[in-house]
Amino acid sequence: MLAVSCPAGESSCAGTVTLRTLGAVSARKKKGRATVLTLASGSFTVAGGATQPVTLRLSGQARALLGRLHVLRVIATIVAHDSTGATHTTQATVTLHAPKLKHGKG
């Protein structure tokens, strides 16, 4: 989940969020060609002055990669459009952690 906010001076903001690997990685267990992978993307609409969580679903390839590496650094790119049509792009580095496995009782 990623929190997206819209400035108070705007009536609303809409856009997309994309998660990509920070560098080139091989998505397969065996040696393969390393590329920058798109792990998830989603869209949002936020009212002016508000903050809204955006839930992104990782692709199967992304879940497998995260399960294998346990920690994955990614770039979150947010491309937002305000009510006047102006485009604003923001990037942030995010660290994804694989969920801890819960062991069953006895």
Side-chain angles (χ1 to χ4, degrees):
M1 187 166 25
L2 194 64
V4 178
S5 61
C6 184
E10 301 293 333
S11 60
S12 68
C13 300
T16 59
V17 179
T18 305
L19 295 182
R20 289 191 177 92
T21 56
L22 193 59
V25 295
S26 177
R28 300 174 189 257
K29 288 183 182 179
K30 296 182 180 182
K31 299 275 182 184
R33 194 174 83 179
T35 59
V36 174
L37 299 176
T38 298
L39 306 175
S41 63
S43 59
F44 64 89
T45 302
V46 181
T51 299
Q52 177 179 336
V54 177
T55 302
L56 302 171
R57 288 188 62 87
L58 293 177
S59 67
Q61 192 177 40
R63 287 192 304 272
L65 182 64
L66 184 58
R68 194 173 84 234
L69 298 178
H70 304 291
V71 175
L72 191 58
R73 290 177 47 98
V74 301
I75 294 266
T77 303
I78 301 170
V79 179
H81 309 280
D82 61 17
S83 57
T84 64
T87 301
H88 306 281
T89 302
T90 304
Q91 288 188 330
T93 302
V94 180
T95 303
L96 302 179
H97 297 275
K100 296 185 189 260
L101 297 176
K102 295 181 182 179
H103 298 285
K105 295 180 182 177

